[in-house]
Amino acid sequence: MAKNYAIGVDFGGTKVIAAVVDTARGKVKGEFKIATSAFDSGDALMERIFEVVDGALANAKVSVDDCAGIGVGIAGQVDAERGLLIGTANLSRSVVDLPMADLLKKRYGIPAVLRNDVQIAAVGENRFGAGKGCDDFLCVFIGTGIGGAIVKNGEILPGASGNAGEIGHTTIEAHGRVCGCGARGHLEAYASRTAMTKVILGELRRGRTSIITDLIEGIDPTSNDVSIKSGILKKAVKAKDVVVTETIVEAGKYIGLGLASMVNFVNPQRIILGGGVIDSVDLLFETAEYWTRHEALPHAGAMVEIRKAELGDYSGVIGAAVIAADTANA
Ligand SMILES: [Zn+2]
C-alpha cells in the first residue's frame, strides 16, 4: 500500500529545511529548519541534513517507516540519476561527488532522490501551487542567487547535463559585473538579493543616507558579511526610501530583461516568480512584470501569465517530497 507521507529537504544558500509532507494533499505535517553556512566536508553537510530530517520527523510525530521516501533539493549541480552531488559553489568548494542519496538510504532505510533546489520548487508549485493545471511554465526564484527551471509538458526539462533553466547565469550586460560563477554580466550579479545588498551598501559607503541604517542597527557598510533581508527591503520601500527603491527598480528591470529573453526563446504559458524578496516586495514583482512584457516580442509578452509562487518557504520541501513519493510508488 502506498504510504501517506514523504520527507522533503530543501538545502538553500542560507538555510536548510526539512518537512514531513502529506503528499496526497500537499500539506506539511511537521518541519524543522536551521541556518547554514559554508561546509568543509561532505560529512558535515550530511550531518546537517540528518539533523533537520530527524527534527522534522519528531515534530510531525511520524515514524520514518510511514514515509515513502526522502527527496532532497540542493543549491548545486547534481547527478539525479546517480543521486550524486557533483558540486555546490555557494555552499562549499571542497565537497564534490558526494553520494547523498545512498547515504540517506543507508541511514533511514527508505528510498532517496536528489535534485537541484529550483527543480524541487517547480514541482511543488506545479502540483499544489501557482503552477497547478499548467504543464508549460518557467519557475524563477530570487534569493541568495537566482535559480530557474523549465517545465515542459509537465516534466522538468533537465538539459544534456542537468543545467537547463539556469537563468541566473544568462548574460544581461556584455562587460558587466563578475558573477559568483566567475563569468561576467550574469543576471544573478544584478538582481539576486545578494546583488541588491551590495548595491545598497555601496551607496551607503558613498555617503548617501537611507533608512537601512535605522532598520539594521550597527550596520557596517564596509563589511562583506551583511545580508539585507527581504522584510527589511519591504519596510524601506514602504517608507519610500530613495536608495532602496532605486535599487529594487533597477534589479526588477534586469529581471524583466532576463525573463523577456526567456519568453522569446521558450514562449511559456506562465512564469512563476518566487523567493522571499519577490514575496515581500511587490515593487520588485511589478517592475519585473512590466519589463518582461515591454521587452518581449509583443504576442509572446502579452499572453504570458506572470504569477507569484504560492507555497512560500514550502515550495521546495513539498516538491522534494512529491518527487520522492512518485519515485517510490512508480
Ligand atoms: Zn554566473
Side-chain angles (χ1 to χ4, degrees):
M1 199 184 89
K3 294 170 178 175
N4 294 332
Y5 299 109
I7 300 162
V9 180
D10 186 356
F11 209 126
T14 55
K15 63 175 185 270
V16 51
I17 168 168
V20 175
V21 177
D22 175 341
T23 49
R25 297 187 305 134
K27 296 285 176 220
V28 169
K29 171 90 171 148
E31 62 172 288
F32 195 84
K33 64 179 160 186
I34 48 179
T36 54
S37 50
F39 292 90
D40 50 16
S41 76
D43 285 347
L45 192 151
M46 292 309 298
E47 278 307 318
R48 208 40 76 84
I49 293 186
F50 297 154
E51 187 186 342
V52 288
V53 169
D54 292 346
L57 285 164
N59 285 339
K61 297 187 175 65
V62 167
S63 155
V64 72
D65 298 328
D66 294 322
C67 297
I70 302 180
V72 178
I74 188 160
Q77 272 200 65
V78 305
D79 180 334
E81 207 143 296
R82 292 192 292 158
L84 203 64
L85 174 64
I86 296 169
T88 166
N90 287 334
L91 290 165
S92 170
R93 294 194 185 276
S94 58
V95 176
V96 290
D97 292 343
L98 180 68
M100 290 180 73
D102 281 348
L103 292 167
L104 282 161
K105 199 175 159 193
K106 202 166 135 198
R107 161 119 177 178
Y108 293 102
I110 55 176
V113 293
L114 184 64
R115 297 287 189 274
N116 100 8
D117 59 342
V118 184
Q119 292 175 345
I120 57 168
V123 169
E125 289 292 332
N126 190 201
R127 198 67 67 90
F128 295 107
K132 236 177 358 190
C134 180
D135 284 340
D136 187 14
F137 64 92
L138 304 181
C139 235
V140 178
F141 281 77
I142 317 280
T144 330
I146 296 182
I150 304 166
V151 174
K152 196 84 199 155
N153 300 325
E155 303 276 344
I156 298 269
L157 197 74
S161 65
N163 298 119
E166 285 281 14
I167 185 176
H169 301 282
T170 52
T171 307
I172 41 123
E173 287 284 1
H175 305 288
R177 297 175 194 158
V178 176
C179 178
C181 74
R184 279 193 178 275
H186 287 179
L187 180 59
E188 186 169 295
Y190 287 82
S192 62
R193 189 165 51 75
T194 315
M196 293 182 227
T197 296
K198 278 188 189 164
V199 170
I200 292 166
L201 294 181
E203 294 301 319
L204 295 182
R205 284 203 298 277
R206 281 145 54 97
R208 291 183 71 187
T209 53
S210 162
I211 197 172
I212 288 290
T213 50
D214 298 329
L215 294 172
I216 307 176
E217 220 174 298
I219 185 173
D220 174 8
T222 62
S223 164
N224 286 324
D225 296 328
V226 178
S227 166
I228 303 178
K229 302 281 179 222
S230 305
I232 298 283
L233 295 173
K234 178 184 183 170
K235 280 183 190 162
V237 169
K238 201 170 170 212
K240 299 197 167 19
D241 183 77
V242 176
V243 169
V244 173
T245 304
E246 275 176 14
T247 306
I248 294 283
V249 166
E250 185 187 64
K253 180 169 181 180
Y254 278 117
I255 294 168
L257 298 184
L259 290 177
S261 297
M262 295 302 114
V263 166
N264 292 348
F265 193 61
V266 182
N267 192 198
Q269 181 186 338
R270 191 175 294 176
I271 293 171
I272 298 171
L273 284 178
V277 64
I278 284 287
D279 203 30
S280 303
V281 185
D282 288 336
L283 179 65
L284 184 65
F285 178 85
E286 288 157 8
T287 310
E289 176 172 16
Y290 172 81
W291 285 105
T292 305
R293 296 195 194 283
H294 190 272
E295 292 297 312
L297 289 168
H299 191 58
M303 63 77 66
V304 66
E305 305 159 6
I306 304 177
R307 296 192 187 174
K308 280 189 184 187
E310 288 174 1
L311 301 178
D313 258 4
Y314 291 146
S315 323
V317 286
I318 290 176
V322 162
I323 295 169
D326 286 355
T327 308
N329 296 329

